[in-house]
Amino acid sequence: MHQDLVVDAHGIGKEYGRGAARFSALSDVTLQIARGECVAIVGKSGSGKSTLMHVLALLDAPDTGRLSIDGVDTRQLSARQLTTLRNRTFGFVFQQFFLTPGTSVLDNVTLPLEIGGTPPRQRRARGMAVLEQLELADKARSNANDLSGGQKQRVVIARALVGEPSVIFADEPTGNLDSATGAIVEETLFSLNRDRGITLIVVTHDEDLAARCDRQIVLRDGVVVSDSAAVAA
Amino acid sequence: MRATDLVAKAARNTVRSKTRTTLTVLALFVGAFTLTLTTAVGAGVTDYVTKQVDSLGADDVFVVTRTAAATTDGPVAYDPETSSASTGTTAPALPGASGSDPLTEGDLDELAAFDGILSVDPIQVAAVDYVRYDGGSRYELTINPTSSITRSDLVAGEQLDSSAGAGQVMLPSDYVDALGFASAEEAVGSVVTLGITDVLGVQSTVDATIVGVSRESLLSSGAGANTALVADLVEVQSAGVDTGDPRYAIAVARFDADLSADQVSALKADIVDAGYGAQTIQDQLGVIKTVIDGIIGVLNAFAVVALLAAAFGIVNTLLMSVQERTREIGLMKAMGMRSGTVFALFSLEATVIGFLGSAIGAGVAILLGTALNGALAAGPLAALSGLSILLFEPGAILGIILLIMVIAFLAGTLPAARAARKNPIESLRYE
């Protein structure tokens, strides 16, 4: 398990609030995720699973512990290097899509490349290639608002994929979809993991979705209560 | 993020909520429109006055008069040695030259002795009866006494040559048709006949060549005559009769053009101390310029107030926009956009709004102003030929657009800073 770790977290702790309102969102979380794994982080609302995802995705800094991404200790990086690392390494799929209204599907998909500083011509080519794979090429010029829920989530996946990330974080990816379209979106995500070896980290409270992942990490009150990989090991 | 992408994105964002952008742009439009017009009025009037100053005279001369005694310390005791009879009828040929005693030859010698004065020439008045061309109709003509030292606003031809031996005349443009010339250009080079009556009542004529045709001017009027022609006319006028010591209302003292402004002031003070009035052309027009500058300043102040109001409009618009796009900002930050880039994006949006408002405002002001110029020049301001009330200078317009863009940028920094400070996680949770 020590070869090629994408995520290597040791004793992560995170607290919110101050004084009497202080509570511990995460305490002493240690976990390792290897390249190409498909991991579900499961827990009830308030279990700390979202906080864990934010910390792992470098959106939030842990109060204690250390975290290495692709073998790089994140404590050594400047804020600028952190944002660059996030831009290059991660793709995000959110429950609420977060598509920019009034903007074309293609522009939405290529946003991470635009932020990363890719020249327009390459952006377009890669954006179209990704949309092609997700069978959305004919929607490239459409307004992102005019799509159905399932199409929107596939656009979001295309956006997560366009930067060729090594890890995709999916936060309740099917939470806003009916079961039929949800199944299609799930299949798309799993196939990316299966066929292209992209590490998939799914945050969900949906037991069925979690069960389809190779490994489940269960959180309760900010503590890891079970990790199927640890059991298997 | 690449700079070009950043600018393009900011521009695209401004057109995303069209109504709000349009209203903000309109507020800036009013300011830009007003500022463009007031600046153009200022430039137009200043340009006109500058041309008038040129028509009044050269920069290296004082117009010298005897200080009017009545305006200082009450009646002055008569002294046969220094006093000269005041006519009280001397025409105010120049602003500031009115109501003064005549200058005597002695005065001229005294003036010429001042250090820094190169020459002193009296301005002689020649009263011409008429002008005619080629035996045609005769028209009354006034010779502007200071014309030998002034530069005219030319329609055709060239300026008078004071060193020329032959008589030259500068004809006002409205004489061109009357005298039977087809155009101003045709008139130049022709010889006209001037009729003059001498002190004995005998009428005779003097010939002069037209060297130029001048535009009608607000501050000096009449025809111009060079030194040679004036000398001819005065000689004919006096008919060889000795009229006693010559006396002149005004003299022109040329000073060294290399003198600094301070030296000129000192020289002027010396001359004034000696009992004369000395004014440069700039002095004579200083008052007019001050009044014009004051009016333009007040108008500009109104425009700037409008712009300040518009700036608050930008702050408000962008604050709303930042609030509305909280999740978009969170998303962009999650995807690795740096806070500095978020700040740049929103302040650029403000600058784009500023550019739109100012460019449209200035453009419409130019279109409308040009039309207005034509209408005014043909109608109410027809008498002031050569005046275009609105003068649009590219530099000034560029300056206004830049100024408004800077104001818009400054207004945008508050919302932009707020956007840049947003925490990506909280922004993404924001409902």
Side-chain angles (χ1 to χ4, degrees), chain A residues 129-150:
Chain A
V130 169
L131 285 173
E132 206 87 50
Q133 286 166 33
L134 295 175
E135 289 161 18
L136 285 164
D138 55 323
K139 302 283 185 195
R141 297 257 147 259
S142 313
N143 184 334
N145 274 7
D146 299 341
L147 302 181
S148 71

Side-chain angles (χ1 to χ4, degrees), chain B residues 323-335:
Chain B
Q323 202 70 13
E324 204 171 80
R325 280 150 60 188
T326 297
R327 299 214 295 195
E328 188 187 331
I329 296 164
L331 178 76
M332 291 191 296
K333 287 188 124 184
M335 287 179 171

Side-chain angles (χ1 to χ4, degrees), chain A residues 157-174:
Chain A
I157 294 173
R159 182 176 66 192
L161 204 55
V162 76
E164 292 169 1
S166 42
V167 183
I168 287 182
F169 288 95
D171 187 358
E172 302 284 7
T174 57

Side-chain angles (χ1 to χ4, degrees), chain A residues 2-231:
Chain A
H2 284 285
Q3 79 295 353
D4 207 7
L5 291 179
V6 179
V7 175
D8 185 2
H10 268 278
I12 300 289
K14 181 79 190 172
E15 294 188 332
Y16 284 113
R18 50 183 63 207
R22 196 174 182 83
F23 72 99
S24 181
L26 291 175
S27 54
D28 197 24
V29 173
T30 297
L31 59 91
Q32 285 145 349
I33 296 171
R35 192 173 301 283
E37 271 196 286
C38 173
V39 181
I41 298 175
V42 201
K44 293 202 176 72
S45 175
S47 61
K49 60 182 194 303
S50 291
T51 306
L52 179 59
M53 188 200 99
H54 292 149
V55 169
L56 296 183
L58 305 176
L59 290 169
D60 212 348
D63 296 327
T64 57
R66 68 176 166 78
L67 171 66
S68 296
I69 300 293
D70 273 343
V72 180
D73 189 344
T74 54
R75 288 175 304 183
Q76 312 293 325
L77 300 177
S78 67
R80 191 184 189 134
Q81 287 168 317
L82 278 178
T83 55
T84 308
L85 183 65
R86 204 158 65 216
N87 182 261
R88 299 265 161 82
T89 319
F90 300 144
F92 292 94
V93 176
F94 301 100
Q95 179 180 5
Q96 301 97 328
F97 314 136
F98 297 135
L99 292 172
T100 309
T103 307
S104 77
V105 166
L106 184 62
D107 284 347
N108 265 288
V109 167
T110 54
L111 181 63
L113 298 181
E114 192 182 2
I115 291 170
T118 309
R121 195 184 294 264
Q122 285 179 39
R123 280 207 308 260
R124 221 187 109 75
R126 278 166 67 180
M128 285 311 292
V130 169
L131 285 173
E132 206 87 50
Q133 286 166 33
L134 295 175
E135 289 161 18
L136 285 164
D138 55 323
K139 302 283 185 195
R141 297 257 147 259
S142 313
N143 184 334
N145 274 7
D146 299 341
L147 302 181
S148 71
Q151 285 171 329
K152 279 184 183 168
Q153 197 56 301
R154 270 153 62 215
V155 170
V156 173
I157 294 173
R159 182 176 66 192
L161 204 55
V162 76
E164 292 169 1
S166 42
V167 183
I168 287 182
F169 288 95
D171 187 358
E172 302 284 7
T174 57
N176 265 2
L177 303 173
D178 61 66
S179 48
T181 44
I184 297 170
V185 167
E186 277 176 33
E187 187 43 44
T188 312
L189 283 171
F190 287 130
S191 72
L192 291 175
N193 172 249
R194 236 182 5 250
D195 305 340
R196 303 174 64 173
I198 295 174
T199 310
L200 185 65
I201 300 176
V202 181
V203 176
T204 184
H205 63 270
D206 179 349
E207 304 276 338
D208 295 338
L209 174 57
R212 295 191 59 192
C213 296
D214 302 339
R215 175 181 168 193
Q216 292 80 31
I217 297 169
V218 182
L219 279 158
R220 188 180 301 143
D221 299 330
V223 180
V224 177
V225 291
S226 84
D227 184 341
S228 60
V231 173

